[in-house]
Amino acid sequence: MKAGKLIALGFSGILAAAGVTVATFEGQELTGYVDPVGIATTCYGHTETAVVGKEYTEDECLNLLADDLAAHNEQLMSAINIKLSQGEHIAYLSFHYNVGSGNFQSSTLLKKLNNNDRIGACNELSRWIFAKGEKLPGLITRREKERSICLDGVANVQSTIQQH
């Protein structure tokens, strides 16, 4: 997945970077399938209109990813009352894409973030590694990467504040 493809679809740097992160962890599956928690899924983790067994083209998958990212970004930003760094934005958009709006909105992570506990919010990502009560190695890897991107973003915010 190249960021250039998402930029060509009109995405900004942050959304394109988040899209690459999402695509990397979701993987591309051109045939609809049932995910580990029983949800019909296709392409890059698209669920809303996924049909098990249906074949999708790469262009269809990119368009679904673009639409999904835009919707998730809108939901994410409407739930947050602080300005995010680029790293935080990428990490939280990837997380939101994976767990959904309902789980994000009711999370301790969001409460910490909106209380400006940026490091605490980033560290909450590591708790989201279970699917149906089972630790999934792919989620452990994904959350550590999201957490790292998030903490780098927080460090950049803090160093900028200290310079002023």
Side-chain angles (χ1 to χ4, degrees):
M1 159 64 60
K2 299 219 184 304
K5 291 180 179 180
L6 291 171
I7 291 170
L9 290 171
F11 279 95
S12 70
I14 288 175
L15 287 183
V20 171
T21 302
V22 166
T24 299
F25 285 113
E26 295 290 341
Q28 182 189 55
E29 184 57 60
L30 297 177
T31 304
Y33 64 98
V34 177
D35 78 359
V37 294
I39 298 170
T41 306
T42 195
C43 296
Y44 298 104
H46 174 78
T47 58
E48 192 172 318
T49 61
V51 177
V52 175
K54 179 181 175 188
E55 295 290 327
Y56 294 82
T57 67
E58 186 169 339
D59 282 346
E60 285 175 309
C61 287
L62 282 172
N63 286 322
L64 288 171
L65 176 62
D67 291 346
D68 288 347
L69 278 172
H72 280 278
N73 190 57
E74 188 176 312
Q75 294 164 355
L76 170 74
M77 298 313 290
S78 70
I80 295 172
N81 63 22
I82 66 169
K83 184 168 175 36
L84 297 176
S85 69
Q86 182 173 331
E88 288 170 303
H89 196 159
I90 292 166
Y92 293 136
L93 183 52
S94 174
F95 174 71
H96 190 285
Y97 190 99
N98 183 241
V99 304
S101 183
N103 286 325
F104 182 78
Q105 297 231 2
S106 64
S107 70
T108 301
L109 182 157
L110 178 61
K111 288 176 187 65
K112 288 184 177 190
L113 184 60
N114 280 336
N115 285 324
N116 208 30
D117 178 2
R118 292 173 179 266
I119 293 173
C122 290
N123 287 332
E124 283 291 311
L125 290 165
S126 301
R127 297 180 61 214
W128 291 79
I129 56 173
F130 295 90
K132 287 195 168 180
E134 182 181 336
K135 274 187 189 180
L136 295 185
L139 285 179
I140 293 169
T141 302
R142 181 178 188 155
R143 296 299 177 249
E144 279 308 307
K145 179 66 174 170
E146 289 167 345
R147 181 176 170 271
S148 175
I149 293 168
C150 187
L151 289 171
D152 286 348
V154 171
N156 289 339
V157 167
Q158 290 175 338
S159 68
T160 302
I161 290 170
Q162 290 169 353
Q163 291 173 0
H164 289 99

